[in-house]
């Protein structure tokens, strides 16, 4: 379908452009939202007769949006959510959450203006776009954390997820180091003494594995 744009539409054109779009996109979004007119001769004549007024109104709205954008840009919304140790949320943060957070900060933002693409599902600092006008987009921050302290760290630039990963890796490495120390000096295939029951010595000429099995059998007999 050929349409006349009444405002700038990203990836389509600006006010007054005649473009071709899919019928469903025009009928379900552009026409009902008064963002465009069908590009027939009658509408072309009406648009041209009102072009100057429409462009002036658009410029005024853009100026108002730019002023609002100076206040909204960079706003940070803290959202405390339950999450796993890996940082995965038990749920998600959506447009409604962002709108509520921005409104709490005194910014009059409508859900149609918040562009997220997909819900947020991990803790961290996330960029969210707010379209204040077709030609004025600003970025705000969604600070998703498990606690106020964690949110404060993220606000200061700390990558909490990376920190969690580093701590986990450090614990794994320390555990591996402890194991190497405990087993130092053992011959290949030799079983550490602590695996044997107290007071049960390994008989001469018996392999480590056989001794361990025998020690286990003694324990089972005692328990029986």
């Amino acid at each position: 379908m050929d349409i006349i744009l009444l405002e700038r539409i990203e990836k389509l054109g600006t006010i007054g452009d005649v473009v071709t779009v899919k019928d469903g996109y025009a009928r379900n979004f552009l026409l009902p939202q008064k963002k465009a007119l069908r590009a027939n001769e009658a509408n072309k004549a009406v648009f041209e007769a009102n072009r100057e007024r429409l462009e002036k109104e658009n410029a005024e709205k853009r100026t108002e949006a730019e002023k609002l954008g100076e206040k909204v840009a960079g706003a940070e919304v803290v959202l405390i959510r339950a999450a796993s140790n890996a940082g995965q949320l038990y749920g998600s943060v959506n447009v409604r959450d962002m709108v509520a957070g921005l409104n709490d900060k005194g910014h009059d933002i409508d859900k149609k203006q918040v562009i997220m693409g997909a819900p947020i599902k991990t803790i961290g600092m996330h960029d969210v776009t707010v379209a204040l006008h077709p030609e004025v987009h600003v970025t705000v921050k969604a600070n998703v954390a498990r606690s106020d302290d964690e949110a404060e760290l993220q606000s200061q630039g700390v990558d909490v997820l990376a920190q969690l990963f580093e701590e986990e890796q450090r614990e794994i490495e320390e555990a591996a180091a402890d194991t190497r120390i405990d087993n130092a000096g053992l011959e290949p295939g030799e079983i550490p003494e602590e695996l044997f029951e107290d007071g049960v010595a390994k008989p001469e000429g018996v392999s480590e594995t056989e001794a361990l099995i025998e020690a286990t059998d003694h324990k089972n007999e005692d328990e029986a």
Side-chain angles (χ1 to χ4, degrees), residues 167-183:
E167 290 176 356
E168 183 178 349
Q169 290 299 111
R170 185 161 54 249
E171 289 175 359
I172 292 173
E173 290 172 1
E174 289 175 353
D178 290 342
T179 300
R180 287 195 295 272
I181 292 173
D182 291 342
N183 294 337

Side-chain angles (χ1 to χ4, degrees), residues 119-181:
I120 297 170
K121 296 186 177 181
T122 61
I123 64 173
M125 295 292 286
H126 303 269
D127 288 340
V128 176
T129 299
V130 178
L132 301 172
H133 179 274
E135 299 171 45
V136 181
H137 290 192
V138 298
T139 300
V140 298
K141 295 285 186 180
N143 184 349
V144 185
R146 294 173 297 183
S147 67
D148 291 332
D149 289 342
E150 195 170 77
E152 180 61 27
L153 287 174
Q154 292 184 154
S155 186
Q156 294 172 5
V158 176
D159 188 335
V160 173
L161 277 181
Q163 195 175 65
L164 289 172
F165 177 76
E166 290 174 1
E167 290 176 356
E168 183 178 349
Q169 290 299 111
R170 185 161 54 249
E171 289 175 359
I172 292 173
E173 290 172 1
E174 289 175 353
D178 290 342
T179 300
R180 287 195 295 272
I181 292 173

